[in-house]
Each structure stands twice: as structure tokens, then as C-alpha cells.
Amino acid sequence: SSSGSLSGGNTLGGFIGNLTTSDGGSAHTIDLSNNQTSMAVTGETTNIGGFIGLLNNTFASAVHSTISFDSNSASGDVIGNGNVGGFLGGSNGSGAGTTIQHAQGTGGLTITNSSSSGDVTGNIQNDNASNAGGFVGYLSCKSENDAQFAACSLRQNTASGNVQGYRYVGGF
């Protein structure tokens, strides 16, 4: 667990700032369960999250990593310019596309039984600021080659608190 306050430039999270996975030809499994943070997080630019600032995936082949979050919680206010979320700030990827990816139903991201509480503010002074959410600021998922497989699963999560932003603003 972590508690207190955190401030800085970009890619900040109350528990993890930047989680990067790279397949390197073999699959990896990352499992974060039963963690909590009570951290006020203030960032000057983008990818600011109450639990994790940025999920950054660099997949070069069809072998992909699996990232799982289960029963984690983030409480505290989160402030940033863009990709600001109570739990996850933003996602990024490279390789076959620019999102969290997987091939034919393997790998991907799962967030279950997790929560965020606290106010989320995407800096409304900046008209370029976008993507503010009570749980996720920005998350882009896709499957390689076949759109019927979902790369991301968000189940039984909750968000509470006020959310403000310039555009692309959501309660969850």
C-alpha cells in the first residue's frame, strides 16, 4: 500500500507510474492483486492515474503479455491535463497497432473487482486537455486480425467522486 501525495510532470500513478511490457518473443504475465493506495496525484501533463499512470505495451510479434489487476483500490484526488483517471490514467502501445493488443484471444488486459474514489480533474484551462474518467482516463484496446476478440476486460469495478474535464469526460 502507499499513501500521501505525489506531484510532477507526466506519467504519474499513486501505485505505479509507468508499467511497460515488451514481449521479446515470449509471453509474460503480470498480476497485481489486493493492493491499495491512498494518494493525491497531481501531474502537469498527461497519463495521470490514482493507481497507475500509464500502461505501455510494445509487442513486436504475435506472442503477447497478459496484465491482470484484481481487487485493487485507489483513493485520493487525481489532477492532470489529459488521460486522467481515478484508477488508470492512459494506455499506449506500439507494434502492429497503437493500442493494447493481443493475437486471436490470447493476452490482453483484465481489471476486476477494483475501485477508485476521489475527484478526477482534467485541467479545464487547456483546450487540448481530454480524456478524464472516474476510473479510466483513456484506454484503447483491439485484437490483431480479428475484431471479435476483446483485448480488454473491465468487470465489477466501481468509481466514485466528481469528474471534470474539457472533452471526452466520463463517470467511469
Side-chain angles (χ1 to χ4, degrees):
S1 71
S2 60
S3 62
S5 63
L6 173 66
S7 63
N10 68 338
T11 312
L12 302 174
F15 196 74
I16 298 172
N18 180 356
L19 177 60
T20 298
T21 61
S22 177
D23 66 13
S26 62
H28 303 282
T29 299
I30 298 169
D31 183 10
L32 294 167
S33 298
N34 301 310
N35 298 293
Q36 61 184 0
T37 180
S38 178
M39 184 82 67
V41 182
T42 304
E44 295 172 8
T45 59
T46 61
N47 300 315
I48 313 300
F51 191 81
I52 185 165
L54 175 66
L55 286 175
N56 188 21
N57 298 292
T58 56
F59 300 130
S61 69
V63 180
H64 298 298
S65 298
T66 299
I67 304 167
S68 298
F69 295 93
D70 182 51
S71 301
N72 296 292
S73 66
S75 62
D77 296 343
V78 182
I79 300 169
N81 265 330
N83 299 347
V84 184
F87 189 84
L88 169 64
S91 67
N92 187 29
S94 63
T98 59
T99 60
I100 292 176
Q101 307 172 45
H102 68 131
Q104 302 300 326
T106 63
L109 169 69
T110 302
I111 303 175
T112 55
N113 302 311
S114 295
S115 65
S116 63
S117 61
D119 295 341
V120 175
T121 304
N123 188 341
I124 56 177
Q125 301 171 20
N126 181 349
D127 65 358
N128 292 319
S130 60
N131 305 320
F135 193 76
V136 174
Y138 173 79
L139 179 60
S140 179
C141 300
K142 74 170 195 152
S143 298
E144 284 182 327
N145 304 322
D146 191 339
Q148 78 182 39
F149 294 103
C152 295
S153 174
L154 299 163
R155 293 187 314 257
Q156 298 175 331
N157 301 297
T158 61
S160 62
N162 298 312
V163 181
Q164 295 181 51
Y166 181 73
R167 65 178 161 207
Y168 311 122
V169 179
F172 189 76

